[in-house]
Amino acid sequence: AVAKYLQNLFDLEAERGRKVLPVDNLLVGKTRKEASRMFFEALVLKTRDYIHVEQENPFDTINIKPGVKLLKSCF
């Protein structure tokens, strides 16, 4: 479900000319339980090469980029 959600968000961001999605945008309006689950699922997607995760310095914004597998998958 999280992969499909991210796929839709990346499609919307691509229409706006953006290729990166800050994790903070994913967690807005979510409960602590929902936010922790979303973060965990993002880590799982990273380990399976569906997304790329970047953070330049400790405590900086975490950015997510779509991987080829995510863009080509049908959920």
Side-chain angles (χ1 to χ4, degrees):
V2 174
K4 179 65 176 169
Y5 177 70
L6 287 175
Q7 196 176 45
N8 290 336
L9 285 178
F10 284 122
D11 287 343
L12 291 173
E13 292 298 311
E15 290 174 4
R16 297 178 183 148
R18 295 183 226 150
K19 297 178 182 180
V20 175
L21 183 67
V23 171
D24 296 345
N25 291 3
L26 298 176
L27 307 179
V28 172
K30 305 274 192 274
T31 64
R32 285 179 63 140
K33 183 177 180 178
E34 292 170 332
S36 63
R37 182 171 181 210
M38 182 77 71
F39 185 73
F40 174 77
E41 293 294 333
L43 294 176
V44 171
L45 291 170
K46 167 61 179 148
T47 61
R48 296 186 179 169
D49 293 328
Y50 281 89
I51 60 173
H52 301 287
V53 179
E54 296 177 347
Q55 184 181 29
E56 291 186 23
N57 297 309
F59 305 105
D60 273 354
T61 302
I62 300 170
N63 294 314
I64 299 175
K65 292 182 181 180
V68 174
K69 286 174 90 174
L70 182 70
L71 297 176
K72 292 186 177 182
S73 295
C74 293
F75 298 104

